[in-house]
Amino acid sequence: LYFHQLASIAQAHDYAQPGQINEPLQYGNLLEKIIALANAESNGDLLRQLSRDLREGHCLADGLSLVPFWNEYVERYDQLKPESIQQMEESVVFESVGGYQVAFALAPPILSQKPAPRHLREKYSDVDVIVCLFAAPYKNHLFLGRKDSPLDLVSFCRSRGGW
């Protein structure tokens, strides 16, 4: 039953829709903060400890919270996130590319793979494409297109060597 709960958390978090709120997603959001913080700090030991605690059932608490040890990392992330969002927003550049409105942004590593693009998509919903570049240690890029845009981002990314 516990491992089913963990799988539900992962599923809900991976496929979350804007405005959606449910218990597994809320737990996933808390865990994402710890993972993002550990990744931003290149703290593999923290990630391994989180994995062990999740496996052994020493992470989740009742009432949509984490045990106090892990909650401290969530609070630290929450303190760092607003400044990171501000830095990312200050980096946004808008360009017209082939008739499409494109927003380019540099995301601090603490915003990980989901918070940065989700924030950009919500804030700049009128642009055709969002290109989110991640600072070290990630050094990767995410392209987001509007659902109603005629631009085929998958084909575009593949033509540039992406997946």
Side-chain angles (χ1 to χ4, degrees):
L1 186 60
Y2 172 70
F3 292 107
H4 177 75
Q5 181 186 17
L6 290 181
S8 296
I9 290 168
Q11 180 78 11
H13 194 262
D14 284 348
Y15 298 100
Q17 299 297 316
Q20 183 181 25
I21 297 175
N22 57 53
E23 182 176 307
L25 177 57
Q26 289 176 299
Y27 272 123
N29 289 340
L30 294 173
L31 295 171
E32 176 186 48
K33 292 175 180 186
I34 298 166
I35 294 166
L37 185 66
N39 283 334
E41 296 175 348
S42 298
N43 190 341
D45 290 339
L46 185 64
L47 291 172
R48 284 185 285 282
Q49 184 175 358
L50 178 62
S51 179
R52 280 191 302 272
D53 281 6
L54 283 168
R55 182 186 69 224
E56 296 168 6
H58 299 202
C59 194
L60 307 181
D62 293 331
L64 292 174
S65 63
L66 304 179
V67 298
F69 174 81
W70 289 111
N71 201 49
E72 289 179 23
Y73 289 98
V74 170
E75 290 171 2
R76 192 159 130 227
Y77 174 91
D78 287 340
Q79 290 172 348
L80 297 170
K81 184 179 177 182
E83 183 179 337
S84 296
I85 291 286
Q86 181 180 352
Q87 289 173 359
M88 180 178 66
E89 287 179 357
E90 290 171 357
S91 78
V92 175
V93 175
F94 298 96
E95 296 287 338
S96 180
V97 180
Y100 296 98
Q101 184 69 15
V102 181
F104 295 89
L106 178 62
I110 197 165
L111 295 179
S112 80
Q113 302 299 301
K114 293 180 184 170
R118 284 181 181 159
H119 176 82
L120 292 168
R121 175 48 61 209
E122 289 173 14
K123 183 160 183 153
Y124 306 109
S125 60
D126 57 330
V127 301
D128 295 302
V129 178
I130 292 173
V131 179
C132 188
L133 310 167
F134 287 90
Y138 294 127
K139 296 182 183 176
N140 62 358
H141 325 299
L142 290 176
F143 291 74
L144 300 171
R146 284 195 344 233
K147 289 183 180 184
D148 62 344
S149 175
L151 176 62
D152 184 351
L153 277 179
V154 173
S155 295
F156 172 77
C157 291
R158 285 186 179 146
S159 74
R160 302 291 185 257
W163 292 290

